[in-house]
């Protein structure tokens, strides 16, 4: 019995000692683990969370600190323009914020049927004019081909009347590729045929001095130009003088 009481006395003494020690050491504060976790600082907020409209009048450094680096920069007549996914920041020439606008995607409204019809009509009209121009150029090219014909058959004989255009004044130019004077007067003869609707030009390549066409027309020199009136009659002898050719053309027009 004595031993049991003594044991209890020892236990009680230990408890009392612990309470005493606790009271001697001051108050004990129990701290929750969650309370020791660091709270996020307001300075850790992401760029762009600040009210962008409050940046009016601020400089480029403050804008970049608030919104971050722009996705693009442009230069306008008012100053630099910074582009963000949601904002457009316009600076003045002193690099101060002039205005800030929210960048909204452009939405296309429903097209007006009358506008569509008008656009289609304009496009069709342009296409028709282009087609008409092409046709006119093709026709002009064909007319030039008819006004200027080249016979290169190796110097064989030619049926001259069948090669002349009915009702036209025909210039027959007997020439050779190796003839320098022929190349000199050829552009003048061609220009006359292109600009005068009454005149056509027939160029016949003699090739050399031993070809049948030389003997057929008794050609002794080149250039050898002959003028035929509307009835197919030759006016004067062959010549290499372009001014004389022009006079005979005028003569043929008056006949």
């Amino acid at each position: 019995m004595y031993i049991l009481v003594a044991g209890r006395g020892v236990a009680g003494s230990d408890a009392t000692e612990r309470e005493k020690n606790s009271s001697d050491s001051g108050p004990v504060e129990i701290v929750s683990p969650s309370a020791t976790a660091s709270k996020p600082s307001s300075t850790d907020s992401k760029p762009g969370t600040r009210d962008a409209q409050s940046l009016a009048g601020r400089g480029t450094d403050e804008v970049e600190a608030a919104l971050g680096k722009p996705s693009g920069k442009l230069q306008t007549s008012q100053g630099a323009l910074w582009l963000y996914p949601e904002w457009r920041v316009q600076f003045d020439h002193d690099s101060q914020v002039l205005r800030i606008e929210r960048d909204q995607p452009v939405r296309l409204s429903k097209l007006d049927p009358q506008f569509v019809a008008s656009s289609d009509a304009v496009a069709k009209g342009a296409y028709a004019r282009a087609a008409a121009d092409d046709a006119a150029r093709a026709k002009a090219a064909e007319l030039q081909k008819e006004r200027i014909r080249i016979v290169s058959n190796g110097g064989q004989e030619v049926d001259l009347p069948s090669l002349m255009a009915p009702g036209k004044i025909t210039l027959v130019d007997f020439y050779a590729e190796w003839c320098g004077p022929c190349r000199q007067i050829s552009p003048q003869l061609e220009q006359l045929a292109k600009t005068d609707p009454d005149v056509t030009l027939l160029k016949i390549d003699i090739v050399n001095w031993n070809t049948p066409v030389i003997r057929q027309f008794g050609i002794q020199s080149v250039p050898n130009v002959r003028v035929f009136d509307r009835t197919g009659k030759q006016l004067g002898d062959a010549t290499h003088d372009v001014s004389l050719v022009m006079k005979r053309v005028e003569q043929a027009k008056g006949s």
Side-chain angles (χ1 to χ4, degrees):
M1 189 68 175
Y2 175 76
I3 296 173
L4 178 62
V5 172
R8 292 179 62 184
V10 173
S13 176
D14 292 337
T16 303
E17 188 67 23
R18 286 194 300 269
E19 291 175 0
K20 182 179 178 180
N21 293 336
S22 297
S23 62
D24 292 342
S25 63
V28 178
E29 180 180 1
I30 301 176
V31 180
S32 171
S34 62
T36 62
S38 61
K39 295 182 180 180
S41 172
S42 61
T43 59
D44 295 334
S45 59
K46 296 181 179 180
T49 58
R50 182 177 176 179
D51 183 9
Q53 298 295 344
S54 67
L55 296 173
R58 304 299 179 91
T60 56
D61 292 340
E62 294 179 88
V63 172
E64 189 168 335
L67 301 180
K69 291 186 178 296
S71 58
K73 294 181 181 181
L74 300 174
Q75 189 64 34
T76 69
S77 59
Q78 295 176 315
L81 176 64
W82 286 14
L83 305 176
Y84 291 91
E86 297 182 358
W87 301 99
R88 297 164 59 91
V89 183
Q90 178 67 62
F91 293 90
D92 58 19
H93 293 292
D94 295 327
S95 298
Q96 303 294 319
V97 175
L98 187 62
R99 64 178 178 277
I100 300 179
E101 301 173 344
R102 184 173 292 277
D103 193 7
Q104 297 290 348
V106 178
R107 298 183 181 275
L108 295 177
S109 59
K110 186 178 180 181
L111 292 176
D112 186 349
Q114 293 183 351
F115 172 79
V116 175
S118 177
S119 299
D120 289 344
V122 171
K124 289 180 180 178
Y127 177 79
R129 287 192 296 271
D133 291 342
D134 290 342
R137 284 191 291 268
K139 184 177 181 180
E142 289 298 326
L143 287 176
Q144 288 190 1
K145 288 181 180 179
E146 292 178 0
R147 292 178 180 177
I148 302 175
R149 300 183 62 182
I150 299 177
V151 177
S152 182
N153 61 356
Q156 299 299 313
E157 293 187 0
V158 295
D159 183 7
L160 198 56
S162 66
L163 297 176
M164 294 181 180
K168 299 290 184 179
I169 300 169
T170 304
L171 308 181
V172 180
D173 177 23
F174 294 97
Y175 75 102
E177 293 290 346
W178 41 263
C179 172
C182 296
R183 291 193 295 270
Q184 290 180 357
I185 71 168
S186 180
Q188 301 177 62
L189 299 177
E190 291 180 6
Q191 183 65 21
L192 177 59
K194 289 178 181 178
T195 56
D196 193 330
D198 292 328
V199 177
T200 62
L201 174 62
L202 180 61
K203 297 173 63 68
I204 301 176
D205 186 1
I206 66 169
V207 183
N208 58 57
W209 295 114
N210 298 316
T211 54
V213 73
I214 289 290
R215 294 187 292 272
Q216 180 184 3
F217 292 96
I219 299 171
Q220 297 180 354
S221 64
V222 285
N224 188 296
V225 183
R226 309 181 186 197
V227 179
F228 294 82
D229 64 13
R230 301 178 193 275
T231 65
K233 178 183 177 181
Q234 181 175 332
L235 302 180
D237 297 328
T239 183
H240 62 275
D241 187 348
V242 176
S243 61
L244 183 56
V245 170
M246 298 287 292
K247 290 180 180 179
R248 289 175 179 171
V249 167
E250 294 302 320
Q251 180 186 348
K253 288 182 179 181
S255 59

